[in-house]
Amino acid sequence: MIPKILSNPTKIVDNSKKRPNSFIFVRLNGKSNGAVIEITKTPDGVHQVVSAFPMDSKTYRKLVDISGRPDVPSLDISPVESDISTAQKSV
């Protein structure tokens, strides 16, 4: 599910208020739920997946999509740092 979210997200959201240099990639999976991947930029400029979790459609509708912004990271992502298998199975 992670490659699908990163290559074709339905929304990309700025998460910098909660974590510096952080973006959330979201893919809605049907009408009722979706999956979220959080990407952060490390001090050396590398983007890494740091968390993944499910999301309901009510929360999804509140997210402001910033896909067209120039500072949105490229999809060249480093290996996953955290255990995200639980989130993958729940979506």
Side-chain angles (χ1 to χ4, degrees), residues 6-48:
L6 293 176
S7 65
N8 194 14
T10 53
K11 286 186 181 181
I12 300 174
V13 180
D14 186 351
N15 195 40
S16 294
K17 288 183 181 176
K18 293 185 179 178
R19 194 185 322 256
N21 297 312
S22 174
F23 293 88
I24 293 178
F25 286 67
V26 185
R27 176 132 184 101
L28 196 59
N29 187 16
K31 293 182 179 180
S32 61
N33 60 24
V36 177
I37 302 293
E38 181 186 6
I39 306 291
T40 60
K41 184 186 266 186
T42 62
D44 59 352
V46 177
H47 288 95
Q48 293 182 316

Side-chain angles (χ1 to χ4, degrees), residues 34-72:
V36 177
I37 302 293
E38 181 186 6
I39 306 291
T40 60
K41 184 186 266 186
T42 62
D44 59 352
V46 177
H47 288 95
Q48 293 182 316
V49 175
V50 293
S51 61
F53 46 93
M55 173 177 280
D56 62 31
S57 60
K58 182 179 177 182
T59 305
Y60 174 84
R61 287 190 296 272
K62 295 177 184 178
L63 298 176
V64 178
D65 185 28
I66 61 163
S67 300
R69 242 174 51 180
D71 60 337
V72 173

